[in-house]
């Protein structure tokens, strides 16, 4: 036993143990989000709802998550970071149980709101705990451990979700959170000490009377309405829908009032001024891009192989899994390099790798193989650690100790918001480009086109040889050609969307160099 322990002083807990412990709840929360995406059709069928109605299972979670994130820093300081974190884990775990026993779509949506409120407070608390547990020169490696949970969970999520929905019931996508949540609660309660700053009881910022209620309502309205716009926009035909226009105006109006309000507060809920600094502002933008690339790429490839190549949910998930192993191998390397190389160069490297991987996917063909899907995902996965770890590490550069919780909350808002923007962007691109290519391809399906007539003739001959009458064979041949046109238009729309993602990465590439250089081996001190 150490002298400190004998004297009743603070315990000396290995910070690497703390990094592992706080990663458990993160893995649980991010895994749950990715699994729920896969199981959505099964949930819709089970509760007697349409697919569009069932999407509120996802939207309600995202809204609750977005609402609680900005308030997490204040709540953490108010009740104590460890207590707040454990409450969030407990709420998420209990809400997972309630989701698993939900008896209707309405009850499931309500329980998902509770789950989102618990999940939204996890990541900011965890990153703040890590930032204070490790010296600045080791934060890159610490965030590498934490980053495994953030990046690997959505990679293996579709595989686990596919296996559960294929061989069991959707209820288990929520029940599997319970043992992880209980384990996290036990380990955090046993090994993670309360923050020293929590002992300052007379801090005016922690007073309930100084809570920025107006700021909270404004940011909740802004982010909540924006999540509705991004998640429901594509299904509602964007600004052709009055519903989307109303929520977009609500979000814009709330944002316009929120910024000057927060700038004028003595104790603001969100330190908006952080976004105006060169270092943190650029980190926020880079994390927006990272979130967009991470979530949209994870959704696009399984969606492609399931819808266009007939993969089941399990096989589609397996096409992502090797990418998870690549990420696991690259995380320690990226963490080590973050302490040796300026973050801006690593971020530029990550953007270049992912940009080229998206460009590689523009070579899609109708005979895509499982191996091609696997190695292109591995290519993308190799670049993600060079974004997540350096951005997270660089975002704390120059911050005072009291700003770490604020920074953690804002960076996680950027990741989640970037993911929502990325998903909305790629789904809109897919639909619009499919319509464009279909209209162009149909222009060639006319009697005057020799190639069209030859394809129709060969299809008719084949169908007649299979026993169809001449008239029936002609109609079926036309339908067959129509299916080929639709399939080609869809494939071309995926190619165009991968081009868009590649261009976004290449546009963001030079902006990485706007980040300031930080002292390596020492970094900012709290």
């Amino acid at each position: 036993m150490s002298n400190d322990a004998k004297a009743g002083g603070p315990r000396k807990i290995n910070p690497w143990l703390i990094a592992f412990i706080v990663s458990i709840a993160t893995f649980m929360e991010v895994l749950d989000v990715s699994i729920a995406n896969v199981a959505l059709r099964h949930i819709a069928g089970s509760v007697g709802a349409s697919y569009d109605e069932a999407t509120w299972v996802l939207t309600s979670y995202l809204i609750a998550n977005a609402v609680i994130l900005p308030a997490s820093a204040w709540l953490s300081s108010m009740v104590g970071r460890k207590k707040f974190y454990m409450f969030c884990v407990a709420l998420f775990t209990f809400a997972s149980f309630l989701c698993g026993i939900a008896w209707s779509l309405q009850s499931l949506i309500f329980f998902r709101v509770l789950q989102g409120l618990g999940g939204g407070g996890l990541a900011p608390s965890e990153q703040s705990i890590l930032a204070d547990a490790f010296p600045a020169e080791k934060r890159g490696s610490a965030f590498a451990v934490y980053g495994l949970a953030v990046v690997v969970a959505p990679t293996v999520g579709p595989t686990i979700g596919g296996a559960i929905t294929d061989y069991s019931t959707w209820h288990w996508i929520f029940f599997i959170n319970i043992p992880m949540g209980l384990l996290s609660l036990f380990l955090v309660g046993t090994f993670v000490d309360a923050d020293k700053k929590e002992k300052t009881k007379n801090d005016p910022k922690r007073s309930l009377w100084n809570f920025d209620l107006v700021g909270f309502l404004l940011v909740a309205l802004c982010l909540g309405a924006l999540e509705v716009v991004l998640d429901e926009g594509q299904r509602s035909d964007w600004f052709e829908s009055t519903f989307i226009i109303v929520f977009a105006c609500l979000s814009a109006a709330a944002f316009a009032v929120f910024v000057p309000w927060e700038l004028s507060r003595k104790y603001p809920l969100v330190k908006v001024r952080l976004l105006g600094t060169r270092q943190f502002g650029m980190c926020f933008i880079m994390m927006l891009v990272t979130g967009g690339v991470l979530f949209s790429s994870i959704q696009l490839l399984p969606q492609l192989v399931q819808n266009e190549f007939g993969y089941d949910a399990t096989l589609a998930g397996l096409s992502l899994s090797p990418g998870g192993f690549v990420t696991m191998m690259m995380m320690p390397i990226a963490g080590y390099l973050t302490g040796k190389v300026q973050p801006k160069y690593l971020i530029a490297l990550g953007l270049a790798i992912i940009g080229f991987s998206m460009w590689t996917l523009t070579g899609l063909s109708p005979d895509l193989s499982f191996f091609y899907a696997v190695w292109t995902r591995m290519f993308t996965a190799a670049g993600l650690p060079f974004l997540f770890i350096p951005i997270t590490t660089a975002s704390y550069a120059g911050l005072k100790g009291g700003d770490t919780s604020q920074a953690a909350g804002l960076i996680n808002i950027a990741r989640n918001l970037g993911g929502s923007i990325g998903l909305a962007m790629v789904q809109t691109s897919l639909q619009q480009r499919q319509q464009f290519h279909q209209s162009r391809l149909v222009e060639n399906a006319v009697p005057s086109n020799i190639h069209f007539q030859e394809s129709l003739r060969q299809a008719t001959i084949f169908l007649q040889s299979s026993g169809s009458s001449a008239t029936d064979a002609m109609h079926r041949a036309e339908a067959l050609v129509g299916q080929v046109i639709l399939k080609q238009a869809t494939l071309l729309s995926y190619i165009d969307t991968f081009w868009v993602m590649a261009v976004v990465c290449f546009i963001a590439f030079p902006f990485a160099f706007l980040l300031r250089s930080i002292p390596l081996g020492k970094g900012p001190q709290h």
Side-chain angles (χ1 to χ4, degrees):
M1 183 178 293
S2 67
N3 292 331
D4 286 335
K6 290 178 181 178
R11 297 179 299 170
K12 293 183 179 180
I13 304 296
N14 189 322
W16 294 107
L17 177 61
I18 295 176
F20 169 75
I21 290 172
V22 300
S23 297
I24 295 174
T26 295
F27 184 84
M28 171 182 68
E29 191 261 341
V30 179
L31 183 69
D32 179 83
V33 175
S34 58
I35 290 179
N37 283 323
V38 175
L40 202 58
R41 292 190 183 278
H42 297 266
I43 293 174
S46 176
V47 298
S50 67
Y51 180 81
D52 284 347
E53 290 173 333
T55 57
W56 280 98
V57 172
L58 304 179
T59 305
S60 59
Y61 181 91
L62 293 173
I63 293 172
N65 203 278
V67 166
I68 200 63
L69 266 173
S72 60
W74 185 87
L75 290 170
S76 179
S77 66
M78 179 67 184
V79 303
R81 188 168 59 195
K82 178 181 176 179
K83 291 178 182 177
F84 175 67
Y85 178 65
M86 293 185 69
F87 173 79
C88 289
V89 175
L91 178 59
F92 185 90
T93 305
F94 180 62
S96 296
F97 168 74
L98 294 176
C99 288
I101 64 171
W103 53 90
S104 65
L105 179 63
Q106 291 76 17
S107 63
L108 179 56
I109 290 173
F110 176 73
F111 296 145
R112 284 285 283 175
V113 170
L114 294 180
Q115 198 183 33
L117 292 174
L122 294 177
S125 300
E126 290 158 350
Q127 291 183 12
S128 181
I129 289 171
L130 288 178
D132 288 342
F134 284 83
E137 64 270 17
K138 292 185 178 179
R139 283 193 195 125
S141 298
F143 285 126
V145 176
Y146 175 79
L148 284 173
V150 176
V151 178
V152 174
T155 302
V156 301
T159 305
I160 298 174
I164 291 174
T165 53
D166 286 344
Y167 304 110
S168 185
T169 66
W170 63 266
H171 303 81
W172 283 96
I173 70 174
F174 298 112
F175 288 148
I176 63 171
N177 295 329
I178 297 174
M180 286 191 287
L182 294 176
L183 176 63
S184 176
L185 283 173
F186 170 75
L187 292 177
V188 171
T190 304
F191 295 104
V192 178
D193 289 328
D195 183 12
K196 294 178 182 179
K197 292 185 286 293
E198 293 175 10
K199 299 176 182 179
T200 307
K201 300 294 184 182
N202 58 351
D203 185 353
K205 290 184 291 185
R206 296 183 56 189
S207 170
L208 183 61
W209 300 107
N210 288 326
F211 176 61
D212 184 10
L213 179 60
V214 174
F216 173 73
L217 294 175
L218 287 171
V219 74
L221 179 60
C222 174
L223 294 178
L226 182 58
E227 284 291 351
V228 171
V229 171
L230 294 173
D231 204 54
E232 297 294 322
Q234 175 60 32
R235 287 184 287 272
S236 301
D237 199 20
W238 290 106
F239 295 104
E240 297 298 319
S241 165
T242 304
F243 174 79
I244 295 299
I245 292 175
V246 168
F247 274 84
C249 291
L250 284 174
S251 179
F255 179 77
V257 178
F258 171 74
V259 173
W261 174 269
E262 290 299 287
L263 290 175
S264 65
R265 296 302 94 190
K266 184 177 181 180
Y267 303 116
L269 179 73
V270 179
K271 291 189 176 181
V272 179
R273 285 186 174 85
L274 286 176
L275 297 174
T277 64
R278 171 178 164 183
Q279 184 73 4
F280 189 82
M282 288 309 306
C283 286
F284 187 89
I285 293 172
M286 290 295 108
M287 189 58 83
L288 275 174
V289 175
T290 301
V293 171
L294 173 63
F295 290 104
S296 58
S297 64
I298 285 174
Q299 178 168 315
L300 266 187
L301 196 55
Q303 180 178 310
L304 170 65
V305 296
Q306 279 185 279
N307 295 345
E308 305 306 319
F309 296 94
Y311 287 28
D312 61 22
T314 303
L315 190 59
L318 288 173
S319 68
L320 291 180
S321 295
F325 291 113
V326 171
T327 300
M328 291 177 65
M329 291 187 293
M330 296 303 296
M331 276 288 185
I333 298 174
Y336 172 78
L337 290 176
T338 300
K340 305 294 182 182
V341 181
Q342 287 297 333
K344 58 184 177 182
Y345 300 127
L346 297 178
I347 294 170
L349 174 62
L351 288 169
I353 292 173
I354 295 175
F356 279 113
S357 72
M358 293 297 104
W359 174 76
T360 302
L361 281 164
T362 61
L364 288 174
S365 65
D367 58 348
L368 177 142
S369 66
F370 180 78
F371 174 76
Y372 182 86
V374 168
W375 85 260
T376 50
R377 180 59 201 171
M378 292 171 66
F379 192 1
T380 304
L384 288 173
F386 294 103
L387 290 177
F388 178 81
I389 300 173
I391 292 172
T392 306
T393 304
S395 65
Y396 290 101
L399 298 182
K400 298 177 181 179
D403 289 338
T404 56
S405 294
Q406 285 279 344
L410 287 169
I411 283 295
N412 281 278
I413 289 174
R415 177 169 62 87
N416 292 352
L417 186 59
S420 296
I421 294 172
L423 290 172
M425 181 185 73
V426 297
Q427 293 304 324
T428 301
S429 172
L430 283 176
Q431 184 184 58
Q432 293 184 351
R433 297 306 294 174
Q434 182 191 45
Q435 293 172 350
F436 169 79
H437 287 297
Q438 188 172 354
S439 65
R440 296 305 301 271
L441 290 171
V442 167
E443 290 175 359
N444 297 306
V446 292
S448 59
N449 189 303
I450 297 175
H451 298 292
F452 170 69
Q453 289 296 328
E454 180 61 22
S455 298
L456 202 59
R457 185 184 70 81
Q458 291 181 2
T460 302
I461 293 173
F462 172 76
L463 292 170
Q464 280 183 308
S465 67
S466 300
S468 299
S469 65
T471 303
D472 186 44
M474 175 64 72
H475 289 309
R476 291 177 61 189
E478 290 174 348
L480 185 62
V481 171
Q483 291 176 2
V484 171
I485 289 174
L486 180 60
K487 186 176 181 65
Q488 290 181 348
T490 301
L491 192 63
L492 288 170
S493 71
Y494 275 96
I495 291 174
D496 289 349
T497 301
F498 285 123
W499 267 116
V500 170
M501 294 175 66
V503 168
V504 168
C505 290
F506 291 136
I507 290 176
F509 177 83
F511 287 95
F513 295 100
L514 295 179
L515 285 168
R516 295 184 184 277
S517 297
I518 63 174
L520 300 175
K522 293 184 293 183
Q525 302 296 328
H526 295 318

